[in-house]
Amino acid sequence: MKKVWNLYPGPSILPHEVLVRAQAEMLEFGGYGMSPMEVSHRTKSFDDIIYGSEALLRELLGIPDNYKVLYMPGGGTAQFSCIPLNLMRNKKADYIDTGIWPELAYNEAVRYLDAKYIASSADGGYNYIPKVTPDMVRPDADYVYICGNNTDHGTAFNETNFPDVGDKPLVTDMTSIIGSQEIDVAKYGLIFAGAQKNLGCTGLTIVIIRDDLIQEAEKFVPMMYRYKQFADNQSMYNTPPTYSVYIHYLLLQWFKEKGGLSKMIEDTKKKSGMIYDFVDHSELWNCPVQREDRSPTNVCYNGKTPELEELFLEEAKKEGFEGIKGFGRYKRADQRSVGIRMSFYNAFPMEGAEAFLDFMKRFEEKYS
Ligand code: PMP
């Protein structure tokens, strides 16, 4: 079997133990006499999986009782619409522009309400997190939206740059960082994340929402986009992506066995820290993202020249490192797109990060 170091931004690496268990249980699991792929969502066996997942997620992330966990389809992208459709009251919402992902969310919001960028880091080519203070938020805004970790620009909101939005509900897209960063759920009105990076495989989206924000949506809003519909039906209004929920359950069990959130955070910092540190001392590479705003999960950096990046990608591939080509759609202030991006989600082993560092050192010796 060919095995590569999977550094793709998502879908991304799953823990080996999870895959082995899924393989072993493919034909029959849990004494239920059928495959997890065959199980009906109207059975006790599936209840065990979905309620078991929710209980574990609550425990691992410290989700308070006044928040609901919803399992929804449609990926993070469907949430770009669900959020305005469900949270609009005054039909005004404020967005923080940190690049491509919040922009896509904003583009959906403008279909339904008056969305406004109240802060932006476009002037720096999205290489920092703009400061947000309560006076910037419109008094009648229904919510403030941030992308907690921008997968494509390598920036993250954290304790040092956390937005102060006063008493407005703060909505965050934690797709590429949930489970790898400290989290105080009570600071948010709504948190969402696609499962395919840190919480399982594709097909499942996790929404954590404060009870008071779940209200009846306007008449035109489709049933499948209504938070209340999902909350009232324990996320089983229609057939949920049952196999994805099963993988999510296995993933959460692995997460707990490996030491829980604090251990994941520690390992993530270590993996990305060694690469940032090397880049900061390198003659060939430069990380344009301001230090305090750097993502712990998506490490982005540029080479001296685009040709050097091409060579690096080629040599990395030969050594089995895949998925490190940076994101090309946006140009940074220096007119370069993001050259290299490595995604260090929880399932990516420390030994893979060490092997990559070793490769970088050899590359540096050869070409500097
Ligand atoms: N938000 C972020 C931060 C992402 O990185 C992605 C996907 N890479 C999405 C949203 C969109 O998720 P999906 O493709 O599952 O709709």
Side-chain angles (χ1 to χ4, degrees), residues 9-10 74-78 80 101 147 149-152 173-176 192 194 196-197 205:
T77 306
F80 298 162
W101 292 109
C147 178
N149 183 78
N150 200 316
T151 325
D152 295 331
D173 173 358
M174 294 194 79
T175 295
S176 47
F192 73 92
Q196 70 268 24
K197 301 181 201 288
T205 315

Side-chain angles (χ1 to χ4, degrees), residues 95-99 117-124 126 128-131 136:
Y95 281 67
I96 313 301
D97 173 27
T98 53
Y117 283 134
I118 56 165
S120 171
S121 54
D123 59 352
Y126 298 116
Y128 70 99
I129 295 289
K131 194 171 165 52
M136 296 160 78

Side-chain angles (χ1 to χ4, degrees), residues 127 153 275-291 294 299-305 308-309 332-334 336-341 360 364:
N127 69 346
H153 303 283
I275 302 299
Y276 280 129
D277 190 52
F278 185 81
V279 165
D280 286 340
H281 293 94
S282 162
E283 286 179 23
L284 303 181
W285 306 104
N286 157 52
C287 172
V289 182
Q290 286 186 11
R291 272 168 208 261
R294 289 178 180 176
V299 180
C300 296
Y301 49 96
N302 295 328
K304 262 185 180 168
T305 63
L308 186 84
E309 288 170 3
R332 293 190 181 279
D334 63 2
R336 297 272 304 282
S337 55
V338 178
I340 309 293
R341 180 247 325 259
M360 286 193 87
E364 180 101 9

Side-chain angles (χ1 to χ4, degrees), residues 149-161:
N149 183 78
N150 200 316
T151 325
D152 295 331
H153 303 283
T155 53
F157 284 88
N158 55 43
E159 280 159 6
T160 62
N161 59 24

Side-chain angles (χ1 to χ4, degrees), residues 225-278:
Y225 273 40
R226 289 169 179 258
Y227 291 144
K228 190 161 188 316
Q229 199 64 18
F230 276 74
D232 290 350
N233 293 280
Q234 289 74 44
S235 301
M236 290 181 276
Y237 165 63
N238 78 323
T239 315
T242 47
Y243 195 73
S244 302
V245 179
Y246 161 79
I247 294 291
H248 172 61
Y249 190 35
L250 300 193
L251 195 290
L252 293 175
Q253 290 172 50
W254 172 86
F255 195 114
K256 188 173 172 178
E257 275 160 24
K258 288 287 159 190
L261 186 62
S262 54
K263 174 70 175 143
M264 298 296 164
I265 294 169
E266 187 191 319
D267 283 359
T268 307
K269 276 188 191 152
K270 210 166 156 189
K271 286 182 269 183
S272 52
M274 63 174 101
I275 302 299
Y276 280 129
D277 190 52
F278 185 81

